[in-house]
Amino acid sequence: MSVVAVNPSASDDYFRFFGIDQQFHIDLPALDLAYLAIQKEVHPDRHSRGSEADQRLAMQMTTLANTALQTLKNPTLRGLYLCKLHGVDAHLETNTAMPAAFLMKQMDWRESLDEHAQNLNSLEALQAEVEQSKKDTLAEIRQAIDSAKNYQRAAELLRGLLFIDKFAVELDDAIDTFN
């Protein structure tokens, strides 16, 4: 039995691998269905009686499917991946420059977290503000990628989203101390 249902040459593009459009806004249920269809074909158990080459290819395709799924399901990873596909590296390790207004908002949030660490209602209000900021940023990323095809702008927004996500985790931890 040969692993022919999945085209290994599509592995250079996770969207093509799953047969979905290359865009930021994706149909997550369709992605899940495509993943399950691929897993059904390439699962190593299905190829246990095949040649060593078939077994190895099945394992590689399973690993690829898992990596591709995790990348495309996560909005931040999906956005960074789309930027990379279009030749834009977000330089996450070296580029931490952010617009002044964004940095001011981050500082305000941090001060608010410190000042209201003992007030659950205030922390929950801050959480709602951070979640709205995340939604707004995701909408801007979607517009930058899917409409404007401005991957440089998307990379800038994605760097900001990483800051927002990191702060949201800290905020969640502070709220969890009340439970």
Side-chain angles (χ1 to χ4, degrees), residues 63-176:
T63 301
L64 175 62
N66 289 334
T67 301
L69 179 72
Q70 295 312 311
T71 299
L72 297 185
K73 280 192 98 139
N74 179 301
T76 305
L77 296 177
R78 180 171 61 247
L80 291 169
Y81 182 71
L82 278 161
C83 288
K84 182 180 164 192
L85 284 177
H86 290 89
V88 175
D89 183 348
H91 300 287
L92 299 178
E93 305 81 26
T94 58
N95 188 348
T96 57
M98 299 302 297
F102 180 82
L103 293 174
M104 292 301 293
K105 180 168 47 170
Q106 289 285 307
M107 288 179 12
D108 287 346
W109 286 350
R110 293 223 170 269
E111 286 176 17
S112 191
L113 177 59
D114 291 342
E115 289 172 12
H116 302 288
Q118 304 306 314
N119 184 329
L120 181 59
N121 289 337
S122 294
L123 292 178
E124 288 175 339
L126 180 59
Q127 185 179 44
E129 181 182 334
V130 171
E131 281 301 312
Q132 186 59 52
S133 181
K134 180 175 180 171
K135 285 179 188 174
D136 293 346
T137 302
L138 286 168
E140 285 186 69
I141 293 167
R142 179 180 178 181
Q143 194 283 327
I145 292 175
D146 292 349
S147 299
K149 307 295 185 214
N150 185 342
Y151 300 97
Q152 196 64 47
R153 174 69 178 139
E156 293 167 8
L157 291 164
L158 286 157
R159 282 195 303 273
L161 184 60
L162 289 169
F163 280 99
I164 294 169
D165 284 344
K166 183 179 180 204
F167 182 78
V169 168
E170 293 176 36
L171 182 55
D172 287 345
D173 289 346
I175 290 172
D176 284 347

